[in-house]
Amino acid sequence: MNTIDQTVLNTVNGQGPGAQANSAEMRENFMTLLVAQLKNQDPLNPMENAEMTSQLAQINTVSGIEQLNDTMTGINGQIEQGKFMQATALIGKAVLVPGERVLVGEGVPTPFAMEFNRPADSVKVNILDGAGQVVRTLDMGKINAGMHTVEWDGKLTDGSVAPDGAYRFQVEATNADGRNVPSEVFNYAQVFAVSTGHPDGPRLDLGGIFEPVRLEDIRQVV
């Protein structure tokens, strides 16, 4: 392998003295080496045109890769900025996100939702308090596939009003044969703020009770 080929290969692999150079510097170094090689080549065995063309193509490829990387970096930055602007527009709004939380304030609970990929013949929703005890069971009966919003009236099994605080809900769904029907659960929460600096995009701050979520996690905006 001649000097120019080895220099180009080292540059592509991030090795050698030119590894940190930009494309302009690489082209300048390449031409310096090429001229030196032409001046010092064996007159009885001169460099062939095909070999020179191959070496020029290699340095152009390196330059093209660098330009492509710069372009992709710019595009990624624009995408992240677009996501951030979308996220900030949701501040103050209620969103439906994955979760199993229910908040009760002044006797009024927040709604929640469940989604089935196929119909269920029997669906029951258990409301649990902070200690994990079932304080109310909602019999939803038969439910079709799809997303369903649930409105709990805020009352406990004994008919009293549930104390203010955080609760959880669990879904028990079966088909006609008594087999479990899987479901996804969602809770409503308010967006308070947006944070950046995360590797997979901005995070929506839903308050101290709920975990921050990604923009892609939102299923519905109220």
Side-chain angles (χ1 to χ4, degrees):
M1 179 180 294
N2 61 44
T3 302
I4 294 178
D5 285 337
Q6 185 62 56
T7 300
V8 172
L9 180 59
N10 287 342
T11 302
V12 173
N13 291 332
Q15 303 171 354
Q20 301 301 321
N22 58 32
S23 59
E25 293 173 335
M26 285 190 292
R27 284 192 293 270
E28 182 177 350
N29 292 338
F30 176 84
M31 294 307 298
T32 299
L33 288 170
L34 179 61
V35 170
Q37 185 166 324
L38 289 173
K39 287 182 177 179
N40 296 283
Q41 65 182 331
D42 185 354
L44 301 178
N45 185 27
M47 181 185 296
E48 297 182 359
N49 290 337
E51 184 180 358
M52 185 182 300
T53 301
S54 174
Q55 293 171 348
L56 288 171
Q58 289 182 63
I59 195 63
N60 285 333
T61 298
V62 173
S63 177
I65 291 174
E66 183 182 70
Q67 293 175 5
L68 178 60
N69 288 338
D70 290 342
T71 300
M72 291 304 298
T73 299
I75 292 175
N76 288 336
Q78 293 176 4
I79 292 175
E80 290 304 311
Q81 183 64 23
K83 286 184 176 181
F84 178 74
M85 296 304 295
Q86 283 182 289
T88 55
L90 296 173
I91 295 177
K93 295 185 178 181
V95 293
L96 184 66
V97 295
E100 54 183 19
R101 294 278 190 170
V102 180
L103 301 182
V104 176
E106 298 181 356
V108 179
T110 56
F112 53 92
M114 51 190 178
E115 185 176 29
F116 300 92
N117 58 10
R118 60 177 182 269
D121 289 270
S122 175
V123 177
K124 293 182 179 180
V125 178
N126 294 319
I127 308 296
L128 289 74
D129 61 14
Q133 300 297 315
V134 176
V135 296
R136 177 73 183 277
T137 297
L138 309 177
D139 191 345
M140 311 300 297
K142 186 175 182 179
I143 285 184
N144 294 325
M147 180 77 73
H148 301 272
T149 299
V150 180
E151 298 280 353
W152 173 33
D153 60 9
K155 293 184 179 180
L156 304 179
T157 302
D158 61 7
S160 62
V161 177
D164 292 353
Y167 295 79
R168 292 188 302 112
F169 69 95
Q170 293 177 343
V171 177
E172 297 178 358
T174 57
N175 59 18
D177 297 328
R179 296 181 180 178
N180 291 332
V181 176
S183 64
E184 291 186 68
V185 294
F186 304 87
N187 51 231
Y188 284 91
Q190 184 177 3
V191 180
F192 289 93
V194 178
S195 61
T196 58
H198 305 281
D200 53 351
R203 287 286 192 279
L204 303 178
D205 181 1
L206 306 178
I209 297 178
F210 301 102
E211 292 292 330
V213 298
R214 302 174 304 166
L215 191 62
E216 293 81 0
D217 293 329
I218 296 176
R219 295 297 298 272
Q220 189 179 88
V221 179
V222 181

